[in-house]
Amino acid sequence: GALSSVLGAVGEAGAVGEGARLVVRRLEDLAESLKLVDQVPGLFEAVAQGVTDFTPTPEDTRAATRRMYRARRTLIVQFEQDAIDESEAVEASILEAQEVMRLKRPMVKFDIRREIISGDHVTPLTQDVFPLVPALEGVQGLRDPVRANFLKTVDGVQKVLLDWLSEV
């Protein structure tokens, strides 16, 4: 919309330094994120009212998992404040898939890990809106603690994923 037009004009002007271009890019990212975030209250309201009509249905997903899941390593990330979480059911379905697989290959064992971390269903969508701008180095002392607190849960998700990936 209007923000994109202004940001595009500033970005094309060529009269701005690299720090300003970085800020413009971050603002563009923020504008895109806000489009997604605008959908979240409606989703939460629908879930709070009991709407559970997802496609495919959770039961269809669990049935397909039991029948076809073959990944040897799986990380399930569960958030503490997630009202629509199905991590336990997903883990149970994967364990059932392992039993199905063992009928063909008795020695097969799936490595399944479920990590429970703080946050909610939209935590992975959180954006880093605190760019490091060389021209504003004097305020970095203020920026860093605010950024760290804002992104604490996202950084936790990142650490869990990176630790799990590094175990290969």
Side-chain angles (χ1 to χ4, degrees):
L3 179 60
S4 297
S5 299
V6 170
L7 295 175
V10 170
E12 292 174 9
V16 294
E18 185 57 34
R21 279 198 261 313
L22 180 59
V23 170
V24 167
R25 284 194 298 272
R26 292 300 177 151
L27 287 173
E28 289 170 338
D29 291 345
L30 178 60
E32 288 300 311
S33 298
L34 290 175
K35 290 178 188 176
L36 182 61
V37 170
D38 283 343
Q39 300 172 29
V40 173
L43 174 63
F44 281 149
E45 183 177 333
V47 170
Q49 293 175 359
V51 173
T52 58
D53 187 20
F54 296 97
T55 304
T57 66
E59 183 49 46
D60 289 343
T61 302
R62 286 190 292 272
T65 300
R66 286 189 293 271
R67 246 186 0 266
M68 298 182 289
Y69 197 82
R70 299 294 177 260
R72 298 299 198 273
R73 290 184 73 232
T74 303
L75 173 64
I76 301 169
V77 177
Q78 178 179 351
F79 296 102
E80 289 176 345
Q81 296 89 26
D82 191 345
I84 59 175
D85 179 73
E86 299 230 351
S87 297
E88 290 179 21
V90 168
E91 185 174 13
S93 295
I94 293 172
L95 289 170
E96 290 178 38
Q98 176 180 264
E99 294 308 313
V100 169
M101 186 67 162
R102 283 185 171 178
L103 295 173
K104 297 176 187 175
R105 298 185 183 141
M107 302 305 288
V108 167
K109 177 160 177 26
F110 290 178
D111 175 15
I112 305 166
R113 182 175 3 161
R114 182 163 41 115
E115 292 283 340
I116 302 172
I117 57 178
S118 64
D120 58 37
H121 206 73
V122 296
T123 295
L125 303 176
T126 305
Q127 298 290 313
D128 182 359
V129 293
F130 299 94
L132 180 59
V133 180
L136 302 175
E137 287 179 11
V139 297
Q140 186 171 341
L142 297 172
R143 170 201 171 268
D144 290 346
V146 171
R147 179 191 179 279
N149 187 48
F150 181 74
L151 295 174
K152 184 169 77 174
T153 303
V154 174
D155 290 343
V157 173
Q158 178 182 356
K159 181 177 180 351
V160 165
L161 290 172
L162 292 175
D163 288 350
W164 183 76
L165 289 169
S166 70
E167 293 172 4
V168 178

